[in-house]
Amino acid sequence: LEAAGGTASWRDKSRWRAVDHHQEVSAELLPFTVGIVESEAQLARVQALRAAAYGHHLPEYASKFARPDPMDRLAAMTVFYAQDKDTGRMIGTARLQTNLHGPLQIEASLELPPHRRHSLLCEVTRLAVLPGCPYPVRLALVKAIHLFCIANQIGGIVVGSRRSLLRQYLNIGFDCLYGDNRMVPLAHGSGLEHRILFRDT
C-alpha cells in the first residue's frame, strides 16, 4: 500500500518481498487505485456507480442512488472510491461516517451495545462495486477504511449487511455486533432488514 497525494494506490507491474528469519512473504499489487473523493466531478461519478451497482441487485432503488445525496458533503462523511488504472473507470466506492459530530446514521434504527456507546466509531454505508468487476475491490476499500480508522484513532467500524452480502463481510473480519444474528430494518437502508456487523480496529 502506497500513500501519495491523499490516496492509497497499488502498483500492478511490480512485486515486493519481505524476508524474515522464518518465512518469505510475497504480494502482487493490484491494477486499481483507492482514493478519497475531493471534487464534485468525482462525486458525480461515484453517484453513477452507486446507481449501477445498487440497480443491479435492487432495480427499484436505482434512480434513488443516482440522485445527489446531500449527506456526502457533511463534515462527518468521507467518500472513498476505487478506479481502474487502465481505463480510468470508477469500479468501487464506500462512504464512511464518524460519530465525532453526532450519532451514526444507524443509531436512528437501533441502540448500540452499552460498551460501544461512548467510543469513537464509524459506520460504512453506500459500499458498492461495479457489477462483474473481477478485482478484490471490496476488500481493498475495507482495508483503506481500516487504515483511515487507525490514522484517526477510530476504535471500530459498524456496517449493516443485507443477507446477500453477509458472507463477504464475515470473510473480511466482521462479526455480529450483538452476537445473536438478529436482523434489523434500517431507516437509511430503505427499511430493508440488515445484520448489524462490527470490526474492531
Side-chain angles (χ1 to χ4, degrees), residues 26-54:
S26 178
E28 185 165 353
L29 305 177
L30 300 175
F32 59 90
T33 61
V34 174
I36 292 174
V37 167
E38 296 178 337
S39 71
E40 289 297 318
Q42 288 177 330
L43 189 55
R45 296 176 65 203
V46 160
Q47 289 162 351
L49 171 62
R50 288 174 183 165
Y54 282 94

Side-chain angles (χ1 to χ4, degrees), residues 6-200:
T7 67
S9 61
W10 287 263
R11 290 166 295 182
D12 58 334
K13 295 183 179 178
S14 62
R15 291 171 177 260
W16 59 264
R17 288 185 173 183
V19 181
D20 62 21
H21 296 294
H22 305 290
Q23 63 183 353
E24 182 177 281
V25 178
S26 178
E28 185 165 353
L29 305 177
L30 300 175
F32 59 90
T33 61
V34 174
I36 292 174
V37 167
E38 296 178 337
S39 71
E40 289 297 318
Q42 288 177 330
L43 189 55
R45 296 176 65 203
V46 160
Q47 289 162 351
L49 171 62
R50 288 174 183 165
Y54 282 94
H56 181 73
H57 299 287
L58 301 166
E60 64 272 28
Y61 297 108
S63 60
K64 172 185 174 181
F65 288 107
R67 295 193 296 269
D69 186 342
M71 297 200 71
D72 288 327
R73 298 173 175 82
L74 297 181
M77 300 293 184
T78 303
V79 181
F80 291 80
Y81 67 88
Q83 180 173 295
D84 185 275
K85 287 182 177 179
D86 290 334
T87 66
R89 190 176 190 185
M90 200 75 77
I91 57 175
T93 182
R95 185 171 71 191
L96 179 150
Q97 176 199 7
T98 72
N99 61 357
L100 189 61
H101 301 282
L104 300 173
Q105 281 186 280
I106 206 166
E107 293 183 75
S109 303
L110 54 85
E111 286 190 1
L112 296 173
H115 63 289
R116 300 293 182 193
R117 290 177 193 166
H118 303 293
S119 303
L120 180 56
L121 303 174
C122 73
E123 178 185 0
V124 174
T125 59
R126 302 295 190 262
L127 180 56
V129 176
L130 187 70
C133 181
Y135 309 134
V137 175
R138 189 180 306 274
L139 178 60
L141 287 166
V142 170
K143 182 173 182 178
I145 289 168
H146 181 81
L147 294 174
F148 180 94
C149 288
I150 290 172
N152 290 279
Q153 300 184 348
I154 297 168
I157 305 168
V158 180
V159 65
S161 172
R162 302 192 310 276
R163 292 184 191 275
S164 59
L165 298 176
L166 186 57
R167 184 183 298 274
Q168 295 182 48
Y169 280 113
L170 295 177
N171 286 342
I172 54 178
F174 285 85
D175 294 303
C176 179
L177 177 64
Y178 299 101
D180 58 8
N181 296 333
R182 73 182 70 175
M183 299 295 290
V184 180
L186 295 183
H188 64 307
S190 302
L192 300 175
E193 287 195 335
H194 290 69
R195 179 83 56 81
I196 312 306
L197 304 176
F198 184 79
R199 179 184 171 95
D200 195 317

